[in-house]
Amino acid sequence: FFLRIRRPPRSTQSRSSAASDVYKRQEYMGYARSLNNLAVCYQSLGQLDKAIELHTECLELMRRIVGGNHPDFAQSINNLANCYRAAGDLERAIEMHTKCLQLRRKIFGENYPDYAKSLNNVAICYDESGEVQKAIELHTKCLELRKRVLTENHPDYAKTMNNLAVCYEHAGQITTAIQLHQQCLELRRRILGENHPDYSKSLNNLAICYESAGMFEKAVETHHKCLELMKKVVGEHHPDYATCLYNLASSYRQQG
């Protein structure tokens, strides 16, 4: 005869099923994260079509695992949008970043760092697509939000100020751009110190603005300071040092 197998109590079965569901969900999340990481690798190698394909697959998998109102789903939208931007498809990038922005507002509200990050990303895409006034509007909103949420003594606040200054420069409002770059430079000096790459980048951006304003002596002086600092901070074999060297040469050429 066959031994009858005792059936576990219903409550035990329920707990076992729930534990199995949790395990499966963790497995799926692990696979989704691996998809995302692989997509990032392809993106860093410049294989953007493959990266977009994998980010899209990851996004759909995240939708099935966590649903369409979850922070991880919003992050997957953000990652795909960044990939579209890298590929030069700014229309799709704006569409996806806007979708992420709306979702993060729904999940977190507006007084949350991730909502500010999405504002920043949409603004950058608008600037790169030539819609500078829209970019200025969004960067201004992001700056006010980061001031309220993070305070003025946060690197992300300084970063937004830098982005806003660049937008004003693109809009031809050079005086405003110079003022903002000067504020950003001082802010980064206070927060990060002069031996930080972001301080050097602010010097570089300010010098470019001086050049745009026809203030070539001031531009050369600031580019020199940036070059010396870059040499100290990142070394002569770093791409940022080469960029500073090129910009300094350009200023000398403009100066005549």
Side-chain angles (χ1 to χ4, degrees), residues 1-2 28 40 51 73 100 115 124 128 137 171 186 198 204 211 214-215 242 252:
F1 63 95
F2 295 99
Y28 292 145
V40 169
F73 181 70
C100 182
Y115 179 77
I124 288 173
E128 291 179 354
E137 176 188 334
E186 175 57 26
D198 282 355
N204 178 72
E211 189 175 327
M215 303 165 66
Y252 274 124

Side-chain angles (χ1 to χ4, degrees), residues 91-124:
E91 185 177 346
R92 292 296 298 276
I94 289 171
E95 176 190 341
M96 299 301 292
H97 273 310
T98 302
K99 185 175 181 180
C100 182
L101 177 71
Q102 293 168 347
L103 184 55
R104 282 175 166 169
R105 180 170 55 193
K106 180 180 178 182
I107 296 170
F108 302 116
E110 294 191 1
N111 293 320
Y112 197 80
D114 280 358
Y115 179 77
K117 286 178 184 178
S118 284
L119 267 178
N120 177 74
N121 292 340
V122 177
I124 288 173

Side-chain angles (χ1 to χ4, degrees), residues 130-168:
E131 298 184 59
V132 182
Q133 291 304 321
K134 186 70 174 176
I136 288 173
E137 176 188 334
L138 291 172
H139 275 312
T140 302
K141 185 176 179 180
C142 183
L143 188 68
E144 293 167 355
L145 180 58
R146 282 181 162 163
K147 180 180 180 179
R148 186 167 68 248
V149 175
L150 303 173
T151 77
E152 295 181 7
N153 295 315
H154 194 283
D156 285 349
Y157 178 79
K159 186 180 293 185
T160 303
M161 185 177 286
N162 174 80
N163 294 344
L164 181 58
V166 170
C167 280
Y168 274 115

Side-chain angles (χ1 to χ4, degrees), residues 27 60 76 117 128 148 156-157 166 173 208 221 234 249:
E27 273 197 324
E60 291 306 313
S76 289
K117 286 178 184 178
E128 291 179 354
R148 186 167 68 248
D156 285 349
Y157 178 79
V166 170
Q173 299 182 47
I208 289 171
E221 176 189 341
V234 300

